[in-house]
C-alpha cells in the first residue's frame, strides 16, 4: 500500500507543478518525470513501490479499454477513411524501421 | 433489461470480464500478436453496446471507474524506465539517436501522408501520437488537438502492424542484431513490440522496453511543445 501512496503523491505533485507552471505537458507525465528524478537520487526502487508496480503493470491494458471503446463515436470517419488510415499506418512504419535498424547496425 | 444496461457497474464488469476473456483467448491461440487481450475485450464491449443500443456516454458512467486509475499508472512508468537506465547506458548515444530519429521519421511521415491524402487536421495531429504507448498517447493527445479514442486505436493498430513487419523486414536487410531488433520493436511498436521482444530473448526485451519508455518520455515532453506549430 505505501507504494500506491507514493504514486498518488507524485501524481499530486505533477498536478500542482502543471498548475503553477501552466506547462503544456500533462500532469501525469510531470508526475512520472518527478518520480524518475526521485528514483535517480534514491538510487533504488523502494520495495513497496516495486511491489505495487508488479501488481498494477499487468492491469494497464484493462485500464485503457474504456478510452479505446470510444472508437464507436467515430464510425463515420472509419467508414470514409478507414482504408487510407490503415495504409498510412503501414507505409509510415517503413522509414521508421529503416532508420532504427540502420542506426543500430551501422559500424558494428 | 434496460435497467441493467443503464447500470454503471454492468459496463465496468463487462469491461473486466471482456479483458479476462481476452487473456484466455490470447493464451489458447498461442499468443498471436494480432490478438492482444485488450482487442478481444474491446470487440466484446463494442458488440454489446451495439446489440443493446447503448451510447458511449452511458458506457463511460461505468468505464470511468477504470479510466480514472490511469493517472497513477502513468506515474508508475518511471519505475521500469529507471530500471532500464543501467542496461542502456553503455550504448546510450546510439540508442538515443535511434529513438529520436526513428520515432520522428515514422510519426512525421504519418502526419504528412494524412495531411496530403485526407487533409484533416484532427486526424493528422492524432497520428502524431501513434508511436507512444497508449496511456501516454491518451494523456497528451488533447494538447495536440487530437482525439483520445482515435489515438488509442492508432497506437494499438501500429503496434500490431509493427510486430508483423519489423522482424521480417530487418532480417531481409540483414540488420537483425538483438540490439536492432529490440530497439526497432520498442520505437515503432511500443508495448506490443516489447511483448514480442520478450519472446525473442532477454537482450531484445531490455532494448525494446528501454526504447519504448524513452520514446514515450521524449514524445510526451516534445510533442506538446511543438503543438503550436501544428494546430
Amino acid at each position: 500500500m505505501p507504494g500506491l501512496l507514493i504514486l498518488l503523491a507524485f501524481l499530486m505533485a505533477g498536478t500542482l507543478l502543471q498548475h503553477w507552471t501552466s506547462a503544456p505537458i500533462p500532469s501525469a507525465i510531470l508526475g512520472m518525470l518527478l518520480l524518475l528524478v526521485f528514483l535517480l537520487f534514491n538510487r533504488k526502487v523502494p520495495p513497496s513501490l516495486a511491489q505495487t508496480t508488479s501488481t498494477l503493470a499487468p492491469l494497464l491494458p484493462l485500464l485503457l479499454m474504456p478510452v479505446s471503446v470510444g472508437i464507436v463515436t467515430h464510425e463515420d470517419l472509419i467508414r470514409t477513411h478507414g482504408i487510407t488510415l490503415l495504409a498510412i499506418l503501414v507505409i509510415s512504419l517503413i522509414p521508421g524501421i529503416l532508420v532504427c535498424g540502420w542506426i543500430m547496425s551501422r559500424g558494428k | 433489461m434496460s435497467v441493467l444496461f443503464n447500470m454503471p457497474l454492468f459496463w465496468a464488469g463487462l469491461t473486466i470480464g471482456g479483458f479476462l476473456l481476452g487473456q484466455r483467448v490470447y493464451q489458447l491461440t498461442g499468443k498471436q500478436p494480432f490478438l492482444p487481450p485488450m482487442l478481444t475485450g474491446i470487440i466484446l464491449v463494442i458488440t454489446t453496446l451495439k446489440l443493446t443500443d447503448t451510447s458511449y456516454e452511458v458506457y463511460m458512467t461505468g468505464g470511468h471507474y477504470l479510466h480514472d486509475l490511469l493517472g497513477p499508472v502513468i506515474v508508475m512508468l518511471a519505475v521500469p524506465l529507471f530500471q532500464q537506465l543501467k542496461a542502456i547506458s553503455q550504448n546510450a548515444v546510439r540508442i538515443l539517436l535511434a529513438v529520436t530519429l526513428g520515432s520522428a521519421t515514422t510519426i512525421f511521415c504519418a502526419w504528412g501522408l494524412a495531411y496530403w491524402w485526407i487533409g484533416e487536421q484532427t486526424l493528422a495531429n492524432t497520428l502524431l501520437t501513434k508511436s507512444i504507448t497508449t496511456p501516454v498517447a491518451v494523456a497528451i493527445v488533447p494538447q495536440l488537438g487530437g482525439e483520445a479514442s482515435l489515438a488509442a486505436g492508432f497506437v494499438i493498430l501500429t503496434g500490431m502492424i509493427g510486430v508483423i513487419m519489423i522482424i521480417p523486414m530487418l532480417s531481409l536487410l540483414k540488420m537483425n542484431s538483438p540490439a536492432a531488433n529490440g530497439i526497432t520493436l520498442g520505437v515503432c511498436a511500443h508495448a506490443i513490440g516489447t511483448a514480442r521482444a520478450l519472446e525473442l530473448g532477454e537482450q531484445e526485451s531490455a532494448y525494446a522496453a528501454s526504447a519504448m519508455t524513452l520514446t514515450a518520455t521524449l514524445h510526451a515532453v516534445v510533442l506538446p511543445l511543438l503543438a503550436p506549430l501544428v494546430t
Side-chain angles (χ1 to χ4, degrees), chain A residues 24 66 74-75 92 103 106, chain B residues 50 56 73 94 106 143 149 158:
Chain A
H74 296 288
E75 260 174 283
S92 64
I103 294 176
R106 208 176 152 264
Chain B
K50 291 279 156 213
Y56 182 61
V73 175
R94 191 190 288 267
T106 180
Q143 259 95 352
S149 55
T158 294

